[in-house]
């Protein structure tokens, strides 16, 4: 099936590369941003455009753009290519966003991973969650997903909302904990890389133990002595101190619930 | 050197095992809790006691107990064995806690890792931070540390406070992000293990990129649309919604600082 990739950000880039490597035919890249469109098109060895009116006819439009841009883009394309399968890649958007845009055939292809431009990803290990407006369309997406990943699941829009929220916790919030530690260490002349064994072990532990079982440190036993000393160290950075306090309280709250 | 292990919790257990495997002579385990003392002593193949008065004479006392218990325990032992080297393992306590307890020879041996009973740890990869009251004592601790770990650093009490605070962020707070996601998914019938590739990649990324460079998701670009939808999903759990809001705001604040 001929695919058009709508969007050229991190997700579109990693997905496009995985599709081409698996032998799919990406016939065009569209992006508002010329530089992004060209860069990705060169990597995928296909034409590109920044003009929505120049988007070519294809069997599937894979739309990987900001949530706020999705519906307008989809409406315009659906209007011209009403028989095609329209697919978005957003964890937080329902399938209905595409049917509301007028698509008769639509689906979701959500690869749950954190994609950065500067880092390659083994797409075969990325869990992909698919959903579609009909069993036939779902079968098409399922086949597409299985061609790039070993971990393919069917999931409703309703359930995907919670999955995406969970992903924000384990990825974005976790990374922010790393970021706050990095700034703190930097400020005091300590190298961040001494943290890597602890970061790795914290991630590895939850392959074996539940996160509740894996928890250690001052907050879980609510050691007011240590917590108080840490809050003093953060006294010059009120929002971070407040974050520390809330995190510690919530760790303790959860520990009490799990025990009770 | 003959060592007495004071404490039989998770840290004492993993440290004791690493020491014995490296050929050190642990001559006794002390713990207030009979079951813990016996369990660890059996694993280390040495005697144990729950009575501080029965602690035997040794060259080094390695104290791995709660911060609040440290000084009292140390005082009692120092009083009887004033020539020995007294060493604590707490990231959050200064060396001075031991000199205040009367120790003439004292030091810190802080293995920065998260230790759980149910999970074995490759101690050779654990960063160990040492400090002592004299160069001779520091050399002893440095040698001991190098016999169990490939990553040994000398670090002052002052600097160790920030290291320990950073460890709480990258380990305990990170694990809590996993725990909150786990509860959320469980509540909606989704398996936590679909999160593991994302957890692993989030940890792996910061080996290559700084955490600030690695950040993705709705908070860094402050996507009020997605953030608003997530807060709605958390409406029945006010403290978690509040945590979500604070995290997102702090991610955005840090991103603006890094760019500015």
């Amino acid at each position: 099936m001929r695919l058009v990739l709508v969007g050229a950000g991190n997700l579109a880039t990693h997905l496009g590369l995985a599709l081409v490597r698996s032998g799919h035919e990406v016939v065009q890249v569209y992006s508002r941003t010329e530089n992004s469109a060209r860069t990705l098109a060169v990597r995928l060895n296909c034409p590109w455009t920044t003009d929505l009116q120049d988007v070519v006819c294809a069997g599937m439009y894979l739309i990987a753009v900001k949530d706020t841009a999705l519906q307008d883009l989809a409406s315009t394309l659906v209007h011209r290519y009403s028989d095609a399968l329209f697919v978005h890649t957003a964890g937080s958007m329902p399938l209905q966003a595409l049917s509301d845009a007028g698509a008769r055939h639509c689906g979701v292809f959500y690869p749950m991973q954190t994609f950065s431009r500067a880092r390659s990803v083994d797409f075969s290990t990325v869990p992909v969650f698919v959903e579609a407006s009909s069993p036939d369309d779902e079968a098409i997406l399922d086949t597409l997903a299985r061609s790039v990943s070993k971990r393919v699941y069917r999931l409703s829009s309703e359930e995907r909302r919670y999955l995406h929220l969970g992903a924000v916790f384990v990825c974005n919030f976790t990374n922010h904990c790393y970021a706050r530690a990095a700034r703190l260490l930097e400020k005091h002349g300590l190298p961040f890389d001494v943290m890597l064994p602890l970061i790795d072990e914290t991630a590895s532990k939850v392959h074996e133990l539940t996160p509740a079982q894996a928890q250690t440190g001052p907050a879980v036993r609510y050691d007011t002595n240590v917590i108080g000393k840490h809050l003093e160290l953060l006294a010059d950075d009120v929002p971070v101190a407040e974050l520390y306090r809330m995190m510690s309280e919530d760790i303790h709250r959860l520990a009490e619930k799990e025990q009770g």
Side-chain angles (χ1 to χ4, degrees), chain A:
Chain A
M1 190 183 290
R2 289 159 50 94
L3 296 163
V4 168
L5 208 47
V6 180
N10 292 337
L11 198 161
T13 299
H14 288 282
L15 177 56
L17 289 168
L19 288 169
V20 167
R21 278 194 203 109
S22 301
H24 296 284
E25 193 186 356
V26 176
V27 294
Q28 192 182 37
V29 170
Y30 162 84
S31 168
R32 250 185 355 176
T33 317
E34 181 159 3
N35 194 35
S36 306
R38 187 179 43 232
T39 304
L40 180 53
V42 167
R43 295 183 74 179
L44 301 183
N45 193 26
C46 72
W48 53 274
T49 180
T50 59
D51 185 346
L52 210 51
Q53 297 308 317
D54 289 341
V55 169
V56 298
C57 179
M60 190 188 300
Y61 295 86
L62 257 172
I63 312 177
V65 298
K66 281 184 192 144
D67 291 6
T68 43
L70 175 62
Q71 236 160 341
D72 275 357
L73 272 177
S75 291
T76 306
L77 291 171
V78 163
H79 191 73
R80 287 174 57 205
Y81 303 117
S82 59
D83 287 338
L85 177 54
F86 287 85
V87 179
H88 79 66
T89 58
S92 58
M93 294 291 273
L95 176 61
Q96 206 192 326
L98 291 171
S99 49
D100 284 355
R104 282 192 295 132
H105 299 284
C106 55
V108 178
F109 182 106
Y110 171 47
M112 190 176 68
Q113 190 51 284
T114 168
F115 298 107
S116 289
R117 207 164 287 266
R119 184 173 160 87
S120 67
V121 160
D122 175 7
F123 216 96
S124 71
T125 65
V126 175
V128 178
F129 298 86
V130 299
E131 182 187 13
S133 51
S134 74
D136 284 357
D137 293 334
E138 199 160 272
I140 291 171
L141 282 185
D142 193 75
T143 303
L144 186 74
R146 286 181 197 283
S147 73
V148 290
S149 169
K150 290 175 296 195
R151 292 172 183 164
V152 179
Y153 307 85
R154 300 191 183 197
L155 198 74
S156 71
S157 291
E158 167 68 16
E159 290 171 305
R160 196 174 55 250
R161 296 190 303 161
Y162 292 99
L163 188 77
H164 185 249
L165 177 54
V168 165
F169 273 89
V170 306
C171 174
N172 308 149
F173 292 177
T174 285
N175 186 74
H176 189 58
C177 296
Y178 303 160
R180 276 294 168 208
R183 266 188 93 90
L184 186 81
L185 295 182
E186 192 186 13
K187 212 166 144 184
H188 294 92
L190 297 164
F192 179 68
D193 64 3
V194 297
M195 288 292 162
L196 294 175
L198 183 55
I199 284 172
D200 292 346
E201 173 65 7
T202 303
S204 295
K205 270 176 108 171
V206 293
H207 286 247
E208 269 184 30
L209 309 174
T210 68
Q213 289 167 337
Q215 192 57 284
T216 57
V220 68
R221 54 179 192 266
Y222 219 76
D223 183 332
T224 49
N225 180 41
V226 176
I227 292 171
K229 283 198 257 178
H230 284 166
L231 288 174
E232 269 175 45
L233 297 179
L234 295 171
D236 63 343
D237 200 344
V238 175
V240 182
E242 189 56 18
L243 194 62
Y244 180 100
R245 199 186 52 73
M246 280 204 63
M247 271 294 207
S248 297
E249 282 173 7
D250 201 50
I251 288 171
H252 188 58
R253 187 182 301 123
L254 189 59
E256 298 223 302
K257 257 192 204 159
E258 295 274 339
Q259 282 164 9

